């Protein structure tokens, strides 16, 4: 009975983990934990139970733990009876996926070949091998697999998609588009097919078409297919293209509330808080959604625009709907602190800490309140907790260094933290987020700061916040460059008015240039960016 239950739930887990709903895996922690306990018990009783190794490998794969998944699938393949060809082929397929995720493409191809030797007409193996060969640039070989798949099933969307990708990468865009159309026509109401086609359009540098497909997928299922996440990801590469596509589709379908939600999210992620706020307002005014996330996001935008009374009202609405959300209390604390209400800020951040005591943002917020209160020792203590919680996060060291230097007047301790920032490995997703330029500036290492500037500008993707970082870096020793980079930040849509104009006690600040007329002129020039 336990074995049957294990297999049944294991199948559910695999489907769950490999679907777009894996984003909500935390809601299923108890189920996952229970299943892992069952797997451990069964393997303790029978260390050669290949089916349990296989099931647990699927679960680890779904969780993204490729190291453990690989260990388990290795054992499954080791103990699988060679006569069970179909099941053994499935095991090779799973290991190929794991190896591919780890970047071990040669070994993955070997496993796909093994699966096809066992079951020559295995459709998923043909599809996966074709996809891998395509990734490796072996287009002629990939085409053979896709054509084989098409001969077996003349309605195979995977085959049409694969052949389209081959044509796209071999300079045949017209054929590629025709094959993509054939794939979509087989199931025109399936949102996932539009996600797949959007990827190929993107590879063909057809961003408007890629965005339109994702938007249509959102309209089909309100984004449950993962289309929203893809739009957000695409916006990091082609922000203007994604926004233009959303604008175009909202014009066509002005009552499609989810499109406003997506656009508002992308505006917010790119620090254009005034534009984001307009979309959240539309969502509320038109009664498209009444989610607590809408009020949280609107409160966040309002707080960055220093409209604290409205922000406070919205975050309290969000808390009424979700009263145990640590981030909501943290934002309430930030709003109260920004508005000068330190007692209320401290009450809110204490509540946030009840629900998530080791959260880095909460530790930082507690530290900033303590600094505002003049309790520099307590601020250092909070920043110490932030460092322990996330030792690779540079801002925690900068905040602690700032407090050491300007609160405790301990330059030696401050320099140690600035140098600690320089010693971090710099694995931030965006180059600018390593903040080493700020540390160089604080250490008066001008040449190294300039080198960091060059590296940032050559990194391939310079965001509006990166120009803000450069403006802050130069604020202390080159006013003209600081003003120039602030201009670029604002020109590119950086709309965090609180951080630009209000934030007083921050290691990443424009405070040294705020008194200048050029600075005031820029804020007036771009006042629409702040909803002024």
């Amino acid at each position: 009975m336990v074995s049957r239950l294990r297999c049944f739930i294991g199948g559910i887990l695999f489907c769950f983990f490999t679907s777009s709903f894996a984003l909500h895996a935390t809601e299923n922690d108890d189920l996952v934990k229970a299943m892992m306990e069952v797997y451990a018990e069964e393997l303790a009783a029978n260390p050669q139970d290949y089916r349990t190794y296989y099931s647990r490998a699927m679960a680890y794969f779904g969780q993204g733990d490729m190291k453990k998944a690989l260990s388990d699938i290795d054992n499954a393949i080791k103990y699988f009876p060679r006569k069970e060809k179909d099941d053994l082929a499935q095991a090779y397929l799973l290991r190929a996926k794991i190896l591919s995720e780890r970047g071990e493409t040669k070994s993955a191809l070997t496993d796909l070949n093994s699966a096809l030797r066992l079951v020559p007409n295995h459709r998923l193996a043909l599809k996966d091998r074709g996809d891998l060969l395509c990734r490796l640039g072996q287009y002629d070989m990939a085409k053979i697999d896709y054509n084989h798949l098409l001969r077996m099933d003349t309605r195979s969307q995977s085959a049409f998609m694969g052949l389209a990708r081959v044509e796209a990468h071999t300079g045949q865009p017209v054929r590629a588009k025709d094959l993509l159309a054939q794939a979509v026509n087989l199931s025109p109401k399936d949102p996932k097919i539009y996600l797949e086609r959007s990827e190929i359009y993107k590879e063909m540098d057809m961003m408007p078409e890629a965005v339109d497909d994702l938007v249509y997928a959102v309209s089909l299922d309100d984004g449950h297919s993962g289309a929203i996440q893809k739009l957000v990801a695409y916006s990091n590469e082609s922000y203007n293209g994604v926004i233009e596509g959303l604008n175009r589709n909202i014009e066509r379908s002005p009552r499609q509330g989810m499109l406003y939600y997506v656009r508002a999210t992308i505006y917010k992620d790119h620090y254009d808080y005034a534009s984001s706020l307009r979309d959240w307002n539309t969502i509320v005014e038109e009664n498209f959604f009444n989610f607590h996330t809408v009020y949280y996001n609107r409160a966040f935008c309002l707080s960055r625009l220093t409209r604290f009374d409205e922000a406070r009202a919205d975050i309290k609405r969000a808390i009424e709907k979700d009263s145990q959300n640590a981030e909501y209390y943290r934002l309430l604390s930030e709003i109260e602190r920004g508005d000068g209400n330190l007692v209320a800020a401290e009450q809110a951040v204490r509540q946030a800490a009840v629900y998530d005591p080791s959260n880095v943002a909460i530790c930082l917020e507690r530290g900033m309140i303590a600094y505002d209160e003049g309790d520099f020792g307590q601020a250092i203590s909070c920043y110490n907790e932030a460092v322990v919680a996330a030792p690779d996060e540079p801002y925690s060291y900068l905040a602690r260094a700032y407090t050491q230097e300007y609160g405790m007047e301990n330059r030696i301790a401050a320099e140690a933290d600035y140098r600690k920032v320089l010693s971090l490995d710099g694995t931030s997703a965006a180059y600018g987020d390593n903040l080493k330029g700020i540390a160089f500036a604080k250490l008066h290492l001008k040449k190294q700061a300039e080198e960091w500037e060059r590296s940032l500008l050559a990194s391939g993707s310079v965001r509006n916040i990166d120009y803000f970082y450069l403006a802050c870096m130069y604020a202390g020793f080159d006013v003209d460059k600081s003003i120039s980079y602030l201009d670029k930040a604002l020109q590119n849509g950086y709309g965090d008015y609180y951080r630009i104009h209000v934030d007083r006690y921050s290691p990443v600040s424009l405070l040294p240039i705020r008194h200048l007329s050029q600075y005031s002129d820029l804020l007036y020039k771009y006042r629409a960016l702040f909803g002024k």
Side-chain angles (χ1 to χ4, degrees):
M1 177 66 183
V2 172
S3 180
R4 286 199 299 273
L5 176 66
R6 180 202 71 219
C7 292
F8 173 70
I9 299 181
I12 292 175
L13 282 175
F14 182 62
C15 292
F16 169 80
F17 282 127
T18 55
S19 77
S20 63
F21 294 99
L23 292 168
H24 306 291
T26 53
E27 298 171 7
N28 290 263
D29 284 347
D30 290 342
L31 175 60
V32 173
K33 186 178 178 182
M35 278 310 307
M36 288 303 183
E37 289 173 359
V38 172
Y39 293 147
E41 288 172 9
E42 296 227 344
L43 288 170
N46 180 6
Q48 296 186 9
D49 185 347
Y50 53 91
R51 293 195 181 278
T52 297
Y53 277 121
Y54 176 78
S55 297
R56 193 169 71 175
M58 285 196 298
Y60 281 136
F61 177 77
Q63 292 171 329
D65 192 337
M66 298 305 158
K67 185 176 180 181
K68 290 181 180 177
L70 183 59
S71 175
D72 273 0
I73 198 62
D74 282 345
N75 281 322
I77 289 171
K78 177 181 177 181
Y79 297 123
F80 243 111
R82 269 37 198 169
K83 63 182 180 181
E84 296 186 22
K85 291 185 177 182
D86 288 342
D87 288 344
L88 182 56
Q90 286 295 120
Y92 278 118
L93 277 182
L94 178 57
R95 189 165 71 177
K97 286 183 181 294
I98 295 165
L99 290 166
S100 185
E101 286 290 325
R102 287 165 57 94
E104 300 175 40
T105 52
K106 186 175 180 181
S107 297
L109 186 57
T110 299
D111 273 352
L112 290 168
N113 291 336
S114 297
L116 285 163
R117 275 195 295 272
L118 289 166
V119 185
N121 288 328
H122 198 299
R123 295 184 185 186
L124 185 56
L126 285 166
K127 185 252 184 207
D128 285 356
R129 188 171 69 177
D131 291 348
L132 182 56
L133 288 166
C134 205
R135 279 174 52 197
L136 294 171
Q138 299 181 35
Y139 300 116
D140 289 342
M141 297 297 292
K143 199 169 185 177
I144 291 170
D145 278 346
Y146 293 136
N147 279 323
H148 185 174
L149 197 55
L150 201 56
R151 285 194 297 273
M152 293 169 59
D153 179 6
T154 57
R155 295 178 57 80
S156 170
Q157 286 181 311
S158 296
F160 282 118
M161 282 289 181
L163 288 168
R165 183 170 264 118
V166 168
E167 299 294 355
H169 284 275
T170 54
Q172 300 295 331
V174 175
R175 286 188 204 168
K177 286 195 283 185
D178 181 57
L179 288 162
L180 289 170
Q182 291 182 65
V184 168
N185 288 338
L186 291 170
S187 54
K189 294 299 180 183
D190 179 3
K192 290 183 180 178
I193 198 69
Y194 294 96
L195 266 71
E196 290 183 48
R197 186 168 71 172
S198 77
E199 289 180 5
I200 299 175
Y201 276 149
K202 182 171 172 286
E203 291 169 15
M204 297 168 68
D205 292 324
M206 297 173 63
M207 188 56 77
E209 290 82 357
V211 172
D212 284 350
D213 268 2
L214 291 178
V215 168
Y216 189 63
V218 170
S219 72
L220 288 172
D221 70 347
D222 281 344
H224 291 120
S225 58
I228 292 175
Q229 290 84 352
K230 277 193 177 294
L231 278 167
V232 172
Y234 284 9
S235 74
N236 293 327
E237 301 174 41
S238 179
Y239 175 72
N240 291 333
V242 171
I243 290 296
E244 286 169 9
L246 285 166
N247 292 346
R248 187 169 58 250
N249 281 277
I250 287 173
E251 220 172 281
R252 290 180 199 149
S253 306
R255 300 298 302 170
Q256 184 63 253
M258 187 54 72
L259 299 185
Y260 292 95
Y261 196 106
V262 175
R263 188 172 66 179
T265 300
I266 291 172
Y267 278 140
K268 175 174 170 278
D269 286 351
H270 292 265
Y271 314 101
D272 187 351
Y273 297 116
S275 296
S276 183
L277 178 60
R278 283 194 292 272
D279 278 343
W280 298 122
N281 286 341
T282 299
I283 288 168
V284 173
E285 290 162 7
E286 297 294 332
N287 201 27
F288 288 140
F289 307 112
N290 194 31
F291 305 149
H292 54 84
T293 54
V294 171
Y295 295 106
Y296 162 75
N297 281 301
R298 190 166 72 164
F300 191 99
C301 293
L302 286 163
S303 72
R304 304 325 292 176
L305 298 171
T306 67
R307 293 164 59 175
F308 297 120
D309 288 342
E310 297 165 86
R312 182 185 297 109
D314 266 354
I315 196 60
K316 286 185 175 180
R317 284 195 193 98
I319 289 171
E320 284 174 8
K321 294 173 177 292
D322 185 1
S323 62
Q324 297 185 9
N325 190 310
E327 168 57 16
Y328 291 3
Y329 288 102
R330 187 212 63 79
L331 179 58
L332 176 59
S333 175
E334 184 180 280
I335 291 165
E336 298 290 10
R337 179 171 56 84
D339 205 22
N341 304 319
L342 296 182
V343 173
E346 194 162 345
Q347 290 173 346
V349 82
R350 282 180 182 171
Q351 193 63 37
V354 167
Y355 298 117
D356 195 354
S358 61
N359 181 292
V360 175
I362 292 171
C363 294
L364 290 172
E365 177 62 22
R366 288 171 49 222
M368 287 183 271
I369 293 170
Y371 191 101
D372 279 8
E373 292 173 335
D375 190 346
F376 305 124
Q378 177 61 22
I380 295 290
S381 177
C382 294
Y383 296 143
N384 288 344
E385 291 178 34
V387 165
V388 170
D392 295 324
E393 168 54 52
Y395 191 85
S396 302
Y397 296 101
L398 289 176
R400 189 169 68 181
Y402 184 91
T403 306
Q404 292 283 13
E405 182 168 8
Y406 299 104
M408 308 290 282
E409 297 183 355
N410 186 342
R411 176 67 186 178
I412 294 174
E415 286 190 1
D417 272 338
Y418 293 138
R419 294 190 187 281
K420 178 62 180 178
V421 172
L422 301 180
S423 73
L424 298 177
D425 61 11
T427 55
S428 306
Y431 185 86
D433 289 341
N434 68 43
L435 298 176
K436 292 186 179 184
I438 304 297
F440 283 129
K442 295 292 186 183
L443 290 166
H444 309 299
L445 298 173
K446 183 178 177 182
K447 287 185 178 179
Q448 290 89 332
E450 290 170 345
E451 179 57 37
W452 185 79
E453 170 195 15
R454 286 191 288 273
S455 297
L456 173 56
L457 295 176
S459 63
S461 179
V462 185
R463 306 162 299 166
N464 55 25
I465 196 173
D466 293 323
Y467 293 122
F468 171 74
Y469 290 151
L470 288 167
C472 293
M473 183 185 83
Y474 276 114
F477 66 91
D478 191 328
V479 168
D480 290 338
K481 273 201 165 184
S482 181
I483 290 292
S484 175
Y485 276 123
L486 176 58
D487 191 4
K488 284 187 178 179
L490 297 171
Q491 186 180 347
N492 283 276
Y494 185 70
D496 193 333
Y497 188 73
Y498 180 83
R499 206 168 185 190
I500 290 169
H501 192 62
V502 178
D503 200 6
R504 293 171 294 169
Y505 305 125
S506 170
V508 185
S509 173
L510 293 174
L511 188 60
I513 66 167
R514 284 180 186 161
H515 67 285
L516 298 175
S517 60
Q518 304 100 300
Y519 167 86
S520 299
D521 290 344
L522 281 178
L523 263 58
Y524 182 78
K525 177 182 176 182
Y526 292 101
R527 61 192 181 280
L529 191 57
F530 312 119
K532 303 293 185 184

